[in-house]
């Protein structure tokens, strides 16, 4: 089975929908920050969202390594949210998914036994 078929047929219905959400948010953030120069620190947010989107695409393939990476990204994001003090650092180095990524992590943990 190729990746597209596994992406649609293998996981629960919620997982491909969340993948589309991640991709849509990534594309919106790239569009939103396109006026900024590419090397500036604000581009860290689209990189966070890219890491989340790639992780979730592999979660749709029901891989445990992808689940670990998504949980790790969420944990790192939470750590940065509580450790960074200045508002500009928080804006640059934490992502726009803050409440949603924790909810998505609970979905991953709920279905974790069915992962390969």
């Amino acid at each position: 089975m190729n990746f597209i078929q596994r992406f649609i047929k293998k996981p629960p219905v919620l997982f491909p929908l969340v993948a589309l959400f991640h991709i849509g948010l990534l594309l919106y953030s790239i569009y939103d920050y396109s006026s900024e120069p590419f090397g500036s620190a604000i581009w860290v947010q689209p990189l966070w969202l890219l890491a989340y989107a790639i992780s979730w695409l592999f979660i749709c393939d029901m891989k445990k390594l992808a689940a670990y990476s998504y949980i790790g990204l969420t944990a790192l994001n939470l750590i940065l949210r509580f450790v960074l003090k200045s508002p500009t650092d928080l804006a640059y180095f934490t992502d726009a998914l803050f409440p949603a990524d924790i909810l998505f992590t609970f979905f991953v943990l709920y279905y974790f036994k069915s992962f390969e």
Side-chain angles (χ1 to χ4, degrees), residues 59-72:
I59 282 175
C60 287
D61 199 22
M62 305 296 281
K63 301 291 182 190
K64 281 191 179 184
L65 183 61
Y68 290 138
S69 68
Y70 195 86
I71 293 167

Side-chain angles (χ1 to χ4, degrees), residues 36-44:
E36 299 291 327
F38 185 67
S40 68
I42 197 71
W43 280 92
V44 172

Side-chain angles (χ1 to χ4, degrees), residues 4-74:
I4 301 294
Q5 289 174 339
R6 289 191 318 251
F7 177 80
I8 295 170
K9 293 181 182 179
K10 197 174 188 180
V13 174
L14 179 68
F15 284 17
L17 295 175
V18 171
L20 290 176
F21 171 75
H22 277 88
I23 292 169
L25 196 58
L26 172 65
L27 292 176
Y28 176 75
S29 71
I30 290 171
Y31 171 74
D32 192 31
Y33 298 131
S34 63
S35 63
E36 299 291 327
F38 185 67
S40 68
I42 197 71
W43 280 92
V44 172
Q45 266 200 1
L47 290 176
W48 271 107
L49 293 173
L50 177 66
Y52 272 115
I54 290 171
S55 279
W56 198 269
L57 285 174
F58 285 106
I59 282 175
C60 287
D61 199 22
M62 305 296 281
K63 301 291 182 190
K64 281 191 179 184
L65 183 61
Y68 290 138
S69 68
Y70 195 86
I71 293 167
L73 283 171
T74 304

